[in-house]
């Protein structure tokens, strides 16, 4: 699997596509870019998922994880890189240790 493009600005909203195989038949998908869930996730066909990136929790490379409704999960390690946007601060992610972060998609 791969992402196109594989980088974007830290303020989010970048349209990207996950290109791979066997995306159909697993139910709906939630895609996490780093610790935050992506917006506008659409399984286009068996080889493509489109989405819009969430805001970054930090600059640099992050994992991209796809969780399907049937429990199937796939992870692309360090697959997307957030670039800093001058004048736009990062918003922290708040969660309790030992719990799963709360998705922040709007």
């Amino acid at each position: 699997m791969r992402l196109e493009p594989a980088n974007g600005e830290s303020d989010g909203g970048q349209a990207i596509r996950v290109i791979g195989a066997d995306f159909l038949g697993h139910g709906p998908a939630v895609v996490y870019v780093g610790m935050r869930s992506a917006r506008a996730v659409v399984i286009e066909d068996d080889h493509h998922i489109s989405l819009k990136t969430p805001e970054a929790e930090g600059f640099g490379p992050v994992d991209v994880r796809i969780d399907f409704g049937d429990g199937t999960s796939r992870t692309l390690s360090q697959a997307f890189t957030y670039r800093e946007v001058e004048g736009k601060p990062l918003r922290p992610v708040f969660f309790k240790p030992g719990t799963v972060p709360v998705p922040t998609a709007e």
Side-chain angles (χ1 to χ4, degrees):
M1 285 192 304
R2 70 181 193 279
L3 299 180
E4 288 184 357
N7 61 71
E9 296 181 347
S10 61
D11 59 348
Q14 166 102 25
I16 63 173
R17 290 176 94 193
V18 181
I19 300 170
D22 194 31
F23 294 147
L24 295 176
H26 299 287
V30 176
V31 179
Y32 293 90
V33 182
M35 295 175 67
R36 294 184 172 165
S37 62
R39 298 172 293 203
V41 175
V42 176
I43 301 173
E44 297 176 2
D45 57 40
D46 203 40
H47 301 282
H48 301 93
I49 297 175
S50 62
L51 59 102
K52 289 193 178 188
T53 60
E55 291 182 7
E57 68 265 7
F59 305 119
V62 296
D63 292 348
V64 175
R65 188 178 85 233
I66 306 167
D67 291 342
F68 292 95
D70 70 354
T72 301
S73 183
R74 299 190 186 145
T75 300
L76 296 160
S77 181
Q78 307 289 288
F80 187 80
T81 301
Y82 278 111
R83 297 186 312 265
E84 185 173 357
V85 177
E86 188 174 329
K88 293 191 178 181
L90 296 174
R91 291 188 341 191
V93 175
F94 297 105
F95 66 96
K96 295 178 184 177
T99 63
V100 175
V102 175
T104 56
E106 297 173 0

